[in-house]
Each structure stands twice: as C-alpha cells, then as structure tokens.
Amino acid sequence: MQDRIFFNRLSESEFLESSVLDISKSGKVIIISDLHMGSGSRDDLSHNGEMLTCILEEYYYKNGWILILNGDVEELQRYSLDYIREKWAGLYRVFNLFSRENRLFKIIGNHDEQLTFKKNLSYPFHIYQVIRIDTGIIPAYVYHGHQLSDIYTKFNRIFGFLIRHFLTPLGIKNLFENRSPFKRFQIEKKAYAFSLKNHCLSIIGHTHRPLFESLGRFDFIKFEIERLCQNYPASQGEARLRIENEVTALRKELGKLKRKERRDVLRQSLYGDELPVPCLFNSGCTLGKKGFNAIEMTNEDIALVYWFTEGKSKKFVTRGGYEIVSIPSRPYKKAVLNHNRLDYIFARIKLLGNQ
C-alpha cells in the first residue's frame, strides 16, 4: 500500500503506531460516523438528531460505553464551527458528558478536516487521525476512510471551497465520490487490502455504507438466503412457512438493491475473493430517514446495530427476527443486525487471510 494514501502523508508504520485505546481487560465502545451536523433544522442529521442525542445519553453514557466519533461529525465545509455548536448545543452537551470522563474520542474526516488546518482554540475535544483499539484478541484500527482516496488527500480544500461558496447557496447536496457506488468500492477495497496485509480489523465510515465482516447488505442477503435454503429440508409446519416467507422477502430486497447499485459494481462486492475475509467493518452513517447504524465493540465481540423509532423502522428489521433492545419510557429501539465473537473472526482472518 502506498504511503500517500494515508492522512497527512503518514507512512504505514506511523499509521500502525497510532493512539491506542486498550479494552483488553474491559470496556465497551460505540462507534458512529458521518453526523454532518450543520444548520440544525435543515441539515442531514435533522431526521435523527433528537433520537441520537437521547440514545447517546440514556443508553450509551449511562451504561458506561466509550464513544468514538469517526469523522465528518461537523459539516464544516458548509457552516462555521460556532454556528454548528449553537444549533446542536444539546448534542454537544452529551459529548461533553463523555469527554469529562475521558470516554470520548474524536477522529477527523474530510468534512471536518478544517479543524486541523490551524489551531482551533474553541474546539473542546482532542482530535485523532486514527485510533487503534486493543481488544486482547485482534487489533482494530478506526479511521474515517477518506484517507484512502487520492482525491480527498489532494483536493479536499478545493471541495470545501466549492461546497461553501457554490453548492450551499444553491441548496445542492454533495456530489462527490462517497455518492458513487464505484468510488465507494474502491475505498473499501483499499481498507480491505490494508487489513488483510496487517491481519487486523479496519472500522471506517465515509462511504455511508454499513459493512460487517467485509459484507454489505447485498452480500449478506445472498448468504442468508443460502443458509435458509439449507435449513428448509429439515423444517416442518410453521418453521417451513416462515423460511418460505423470509426467502421471498429477501429476494425482493435483493432486487431493490440490484436496481439501486450498478450490477458491474455489485460483482466487485467480495473484493475479488471467493471467501471474503471478515476484516472490514463500516459503521454506516446517522443520516437515514428511518434510523441509523453504528458499530458496538467489546473485548470479546463486535456488532452492527440499527437504531430506529418504534413503528418507523425499515421493513427488514421488524421482519427478520433480530434481537431488539428498548430504552425504557422512550420510543427508540435497537436491532442487532449482525454479531460475532472476535476470537471466531480472528480465526477466520488467520485461516483465510494468508496470501
């Protein structure tokens, strides 16, 4: 991997020697990315801002979790930091709760990279380029992901100028590569290759596409259909009917994904491997219209979760038989979409990742 793809021209050895968060004895980490906090009422986070604020305080803070904000927290390519802090004062109040107990880690992204251009005395949190989580089983590197794009490492300031002075006044959303299926896969491939080479996990954001064990939703559905088909012959009665209904529903969802993403791009989704090595994870973003994704991690396991308001989730969440967690006296619920033990993931990486 070429040195120039790392943020601020870090070499690969410097990247691997990044700041360390040790949870090998104990500790729980919640990773969220791509909040794009802006004007408050009209920005992308407005759908989920109230829910996110409540969940971070009532569930993660009160239950002792460590919070990692993995880039693009503030939409500084459109708005000033003072303006954002004023509009999102409630969310910053919750961030401060974590920070006062040394449970907040803020990683830089391409949309809030301006915080590193000059020393910003008004910014209350320490800024990291990458965090290494030591689990005692396998190391996990948390970084935003734009570092893997030559475009963003070379031209991000130009993008910021265009967005601030041309796109924002015209009310135009972002047009750059995290919106392109092909570009998203190119970034994911580089993160995947880095993890394969170093026998570690990469947990990124940036592309807004949730990944678990190197699989996106499209690939996960294919494997899930195969698993259901294997279980079908031995099933009977209601169990058999449930499998039939689930396969039918999953096939419909697969068709929607095919129409959403170009088919030539989907064929690249296994990163060129017959058996994808489970070394790449993506926490998605907080900007969904019906909820948001996040990654949870302990020294024993890792999970991709989806938070939603009761009665407003995506259909596959309520249909899929996922573990559901509720917050007392609140309408917000968490579905555990994917979950696995780190020792099992480590074994698969060791056995499947040998070049």
Side-chain angles (χ1 to χ4, degrees):
M1 183 176 286
Q2 297 179 355
D3 291 350
R4 62 189 174 87
I5 68 174
F6 290 103
F7 179 77
N8 200 26
R9 299 190 181 276
L10 287 172
S11 69
E12 186 167 343
S13 61
E14 290 172 319
F15 191 91
L16 292 167
E17 295 171 0
S18 54
S19 299
V20 174
L21 171 59
D22 189 348
I23 62 169
S24 60
K25 303 300 182 182
S26 64
K28 302 178 291 185
V29 179
I30 171 66
I31 302 167
I32 60 175
S33 66
D34 296 271
L35 282 68
H36 293 273
M37 297 160 60
S39 63
S41 60
R42 298 189 307 274
D43 60 30
D44 291 336
L45 185 58
S46 59
H47 293 293
N48 297 319
E50 183 178 344
M51 175 170 59
L52 177 63
T53 303
C54 175
I55 288 166
L56 287 179
E57 182 172 12
E58 297 296 323
Y59 185 82
Y60 290 112
Y61 173 73
K62 290 185 177 180
N63 288 299
W65 291 75
I66 297 167
L67 173 61
I68 295 182
L69 301 171
N70 191 15
D72 285 3
V73 176
E74 293 89 1
E75 184 48 82
L76 292 177
Q77 291 186 330
R78 293 183 182 273
Y79 307 102
S80 71
L81 178 61
D82 289 340
Y83 180 76
I84 295 170
R85 291 184 65 180
E86 175 187 352
K87 295 300 181 180
W88 288 101
L91 195 48
Y92 277 103
R93 177 187 63 80
V94 177
F95 292 165
N96 285 330
L97 293 177
F98 285 92
S99 180
R100 284 200 293 265
E101 298 181 9
N102 296 317
R103 288 197 278 142
L104 177 75
F105 293 83
K106 163 66 188 297
I107 296 172
I108 209 71
N110 53 298
H111 283 260
D112 50 17
E113 187 183 32
Q114 286 88 333
L115 294 173
T116 67
F117 290 170
K118 57 183 178 180
K119 189 173 182 179
N120 195 319
L121 299 180
S122 66
Y123 197 70
F125 313 123
H126 183 76
I127 299 170
Y128 298 86
Q129 298 172 8
V130 57
I131 296 290
R132 170 183 165 131
I133 301 177
D134 278 353
T135 67
I137 298 174
I138 186 171
Y141 290 87
V142 187
Y143 53 103
H144 185 61
H146 69 292
Q147 302 96 324
L148 302 171
S149 166
D150 287 340
I151 292 177
Y152 282 113
T153 54
K154 293 178 180 178
F155 305 114
N156 194 49
R157 293 196 186 194
I158 296 175
F159 287 166
F161 178 84
L162 294 175
I163 291 171
R164 172 70 67 91
H165 298 287
F166 293 95
L167 299 189
T168 298
L170 295 174
I172 299 175
K173 298 286 186 178
N174 295 337
L175 300 177
F176 303 118
E177 69 180 31
N178 65 332
R179 304 285 180 176
S180 163
F182 179 77
K183 294 296 185 182
R184 288 202 301 266
F185 278 111
Q186 295 307 306
I187 289 172
E188 291 163 5
K189 278 185 171 182
K190 290 180 179 179
Y192 183 73
F194 167 77
S195 297
L196 274 181
K197 177 180 178 181
N198 294 288
H199 290 86
C200 64
L201 306 184
S202 279
I203 303 176
I204 65 172
H206 184 59
T207 67
H208 296 193
R209 192 170 85 105
L211 296 171
F212 190 82
E213 296 184 350
S214 306
L215 298 178
R217 184 68 185 159
F218 183 85
D219 290 312
F220 177 78
I221 290 175
K222 290 194 298 183
F223 285 107
E224 186 68 5
I225 289 174
E226 177 63 25
R227 183 187 67 81
L228 290 169
C229 289
Q230 290 177 347
N231 293 339
Y232 185 74
S235 64
Q236 296 180 354
E238 292 184 4
R240 175 167 283 214
L241 180 61
R242 182 188 61 79
I243 290 176
E244 291 175 357
N245 292 336
E246 182 67 8
V247 169
T248 299
L250 287 172
R251 289 181 64 189
K252 288 181 180 179
E253 188 175 346
L254 204 63
K256 291 180 182 179
L257 289 172
K258 284 183 179 179
R259 292 190 293 271
K260 185 177 180 180
E261 304 277 15
R262 293 201 306 270
R263 293 189 181 186
D264 60 328
V265 173
L266 287 170
R267 283 196 294 269
Q268 303 177 47
S269 58
L270 294 183
Y271 312 103
D273 297 298
E274 294 181 4
L275 290 171
V277 180
C279 56
L280 177 60
F281 296 77
N282 190 316
S283 54
C285 68
T286 63
L287 311 181
K289 292 183 179 180
K290 295 185 177 182
F292 67 89
N293 291 100
I295 291 285
E296 294 180 351
M297 191 173 194
T298 72
N299 63 335
E300 294 183 345
D301 51 26
I302 187 170
L304 174 67
V305 302
Y306 176 75
W307 283 96
F308 61 95
T309 302
E310 187 174 10
K312 297 182 180 180
S313 67
K314 294 181 179 180
K315 290 182 179 179
F316 79 84
V317 173
T318 54
R319 188 191 66 230
Y322 299 104
E323 176 190 349
I324 302 295
V325 178
S326 300
I327 297 180
S329 303
R330 301 286 187 172
Y332 308 129
K333 295 182 179 295
K334 178 181 74 171
V336 181
L337 301 183
N338 303 88
H339 172 270
N340 224 330
R341 291 183 58 85
L342 289 177
D343 53 6
Y344 175 67
I345 292 173
F346 173 74
R348 290 178 61 195
I349 292 174
K350 182 175 181 179
L351 295 173
L352 301 177
N354 294 327
Q355 302 296 311

